[in-house]
Amino acid sequence: MKQDCAKVRQLPEGKGIGCYAGQFDKYEGLTVNFSEAVASAGGSVVDANGKATVDTDAAKKGLQFLVDGFKDGTIPKQAATYEEEDGRRAFQAGNLLFHRQWPYQWTLANAKDGSSKVGG
């Protein structure tokens, strides 16, 4: 994802585009996005018995992906307050290359009524 974003940013039409965003405001969306980052790194938040497992190397790697994303600009700073609609609007406006969102965004992002710059 980072490599693809770097390639797009080198294009004239990719100048200033954000690479990736999700829901990072301080609410349940952050919990879901954190959990997904941990799982994508091979970790878990809790084990089968409900015991916290966020101190494993894999869980730390998932968290580090998010931390590094904000530090290196892969995740735009303004995404720190994104909830579902904030990120969806940024993506549909063509300001993000990748966006972690719920399935309802698919239809809205592909709208052909002029409301989405990324339709199609």
Side-chain angles (χ1 to χ4, degrees), residues 48-99:
N49 297 318
K51 181 182 178 210
T53 56
V54 292
D55 61 348
T56 65
D57 288 341
K60 291 174 187 175
K61 183 179 175 184
L63 176 59
Q64 196 63 52
F65 166 80
L66 297 174
V67 170
D68 292 344
F70 276 104
K71 283 184 178 178
D72 68 19
T74 299
I75 303 172
K77 289 187 186 340
Q78 62 268 33
T81 60
Y82 279 3
E83 291 185 9
E84 285 80 1
E85 288 301 289
D86 306 304
R88 180 189 63 78
R89 284 190 292 270
F91 180 74
Q92 278 185 236
N95 298 326
L96 293 169
L97 191 58
F98 299 102
H99 185 229

Side-chain angles (χ1 to χ4, degrees), residues 27-38:
Y27 78 118
E28 67 173 316
L30 176 59
T31 303
V32 172
N33 282 251
F34 166 73
S35 298
E36 289 174 345
V38 168

